[in-house]
Amino acid sequence: MSDVTHAADPQGEAGEGPVTASPRRLLLRVLAILAGFVAAGAAGGVLWERLWDAPTGLAFEGRWYLEPAGPDFAFEAIALFVVIAFPIGLLLAVLAGRWRGHETVTVVTVLVAAGVAAAVMYAVGSALGPPDPQALAAGRPDYTPLPGDLGLTAPDQGRVPWHSTALVALPAGAMAGLVGSYLLGNRGFARRSRG
């Protein structure tokens, strides 16, 4: 007995209708998409940390200050995260969109997997990067140079690292990839013969 059953199309030609997969095959698809996104998120985190140049700052009165101060240095990590995450989501979603059938399950799976992959990318990148300079500055003498940490927020005290809109870059790329795959794929706008 086959895991895939083919329904006949309205014109009576067997094998050209919609494909219905078994629950086991559908679960394998969901797990494959999730595993692919998580692995790509981890690889993206490693790449993010490798390409990022840690800005330097100074410890002064128990606090860390970026030196030289400015948005170019403070937001370089955020911009680099977006530049890496969006294409990862786009590419993986296009690949996931190539699997036809069960598009609703694929869309939900890709969206959830892309969110998880963005969190994994951030966690891996920040774990590989230098530690929090605000914590290191507390016990250091004034004017001690310290590298900044890899994060998605400005290096201000009291900022929560996970509160960043940059985390939606990977899911946004994934949704753009699925839309492109479904609308412009080999079955999207192709002209069908009428006779």
Side-chain angles (χ1 to χ4, degrees):
M1 181 169 185
S2 173
D3 285 347
V4 178
T5 59
H6 296 282
D9 68 2
Q11 297 168 347
E13 296 173 340
E16 303 220 358
V19 176
T20 306
S22 70
R24 182 173 181 250
R25 292 189 71 184
L26 189 60
L27 180 63
L28 288 175
R29 175 192 286 199
V30 168
L31 292 176
I33 291 172
L34 182 61
F37 269 90
V38 169
V46 170
L47 181 64
W48 182 41
E49 192 276 329
R50 295 287 183 245
L51 294 178
W52 176 70
D53 292 325
T56 57
L58 299 173
F60 182 72
E61 294 180 355
R63 293 195 54 205
W64 181 80
Y65 294 95
L66 186 63
E67 182 62 37
D72 294 347
F73 299 104
F75 296 107
E76 181 182 335
I78 300 167
L80 188 59
F81 183 91
V82 171
V83 165
I84 293 169
F86 190 86
I88 287 174
L90 187 74
L91 177 66
L92 290 176
V94 166
L95 293 175
R98 301 287 298 163
W99 267 335
R100 296 300 177 183
H102 297 287
E103 282 81 6
T104 304
V105 173
T106 302
V107 168
V108 171
T109 302
V110 166
L111 186 59
V112 170
V116 171
V120 167
M121 182 175 166
Y122 171 76
V124 168
S126 63
L128 292 174
D132 181 16
Q134 293 294 351
L136 293 177
R140 300 290 172 103
D142 288 350
Y143 304 110
T144 302
L146 296 170
D149 64 336
L150 185 57
L152 293 177
T153 57
D156 301 328
Q157 190 165 352
R159 298 289 293 222
V160 179
W162 290 90
H163 290 180
S164 175
T165 56
L167 287 170
V168 301
L170 207 147
M175 289 298 101
L178 273 181
V179 168
S181 176
Y182 289 154
L183 291 180
L184 304 174
N186 59 356
R187 296 183 186 181
F189 290 124
R191 295 192 69 180
R192 298 173 193 251
S193 66
R194 295 185 182 227

